Amino acid sequence: MMSVPLYTPIDPATTAAKAYPAFELGRNASLVLRERVWLIQTGIIEINLVDSDGNLCFIGLGTAGMAVCGSPDLCYEIQALSPSRLLSFTAAEVHASAHLPRLICEGQQYRQYYSDLLLKAGHYPTAVQRLYEVLVVLGQMIGVSTPAGVRLPVRFTHAQLSRYTGITRVTVTRLLHHLRQQQRLWWGRDRHLILLGQDSCCPKNRG
């Protein structure tokens, strides 16, 4: 089994001393990321690539410690699924820093690890397998352990799960009820999904 890449949270004192720009995003707020380097300090974000026609292509989720590197040739748009805070750096600031290159490299590896797991989950042969495996990856990435199982702290919509899995929204709805009947997941009182019996799949490195 592959180990989850480690990351080192950036020192707030160093951040304040350097006065790197910080962006606070409320839930559902969006932000276009271009030629700067971005490090997520807190929160959970959805990351999309924007094509030449303005269409969004989902490429993964991000959480604390993950990095996104902008490019002149690629345009990213993120949406905050929970209140989030991102730090922003120029390429020159990263290269001139003694600690940022390592943090950014770790952050990119950390994000790529989960992006690859989501990509793998999306290639299971049946729709129900794809949906469940994507939920398991989300649990590994952002889940919170509870006595019943792993609770997803974000209330994902059926439309979001449809985009993450490539399954139609109507089928996602049907399969969620099917998984519930199989006692593989449940909805809490706040309508957040709980993956039953998945207490071992919580994040391995959260601080």
Side-chain angles (χ1 to χ4, degrees), residues 61-74:
L61 299 182
T63 190
M66 295 188 181
V68 183
C69 295
S71 163
D73 303 317
L74 296 175

Side-chain angles (χ1 to χ4, degrees), residues 8-18 20 39 41 87 99-100 103:
T8 306
I10 192 167
D11 183 353
T14 302
T15 303
K18 291 289 186 180
Y20 297 126
L39 184 66
Q41 274 202 307
L87 297 178
H99 61 279
L100 284 179
L103 286 172

Side-chain angles (χ1 to χ4, degrees), residues 154-156 158 177 180 186-193:
V154 172
R155 192 164 70 181
F156 293 101
H158 294 188
H177 286 287
R180 178 176 177 175
W186 194 255
W187 286 273
R189 292 181 179 178
D190 55 6
R191 302 300 294 172
H192 287 234
L193 285 173

Side-chain angles (χ1 to χ4, degrees), residues 128 132 175-185:
V128 69
Y132 186 71
L175 293 178
L176 287 173
H177 286 287
H178 175 69
L179 290 169
R180 178 176 177 175
Q181 289 174 343
Q182 290 188 328
Q183 298 186 348
R184 299 170 74 183
L185 58 78

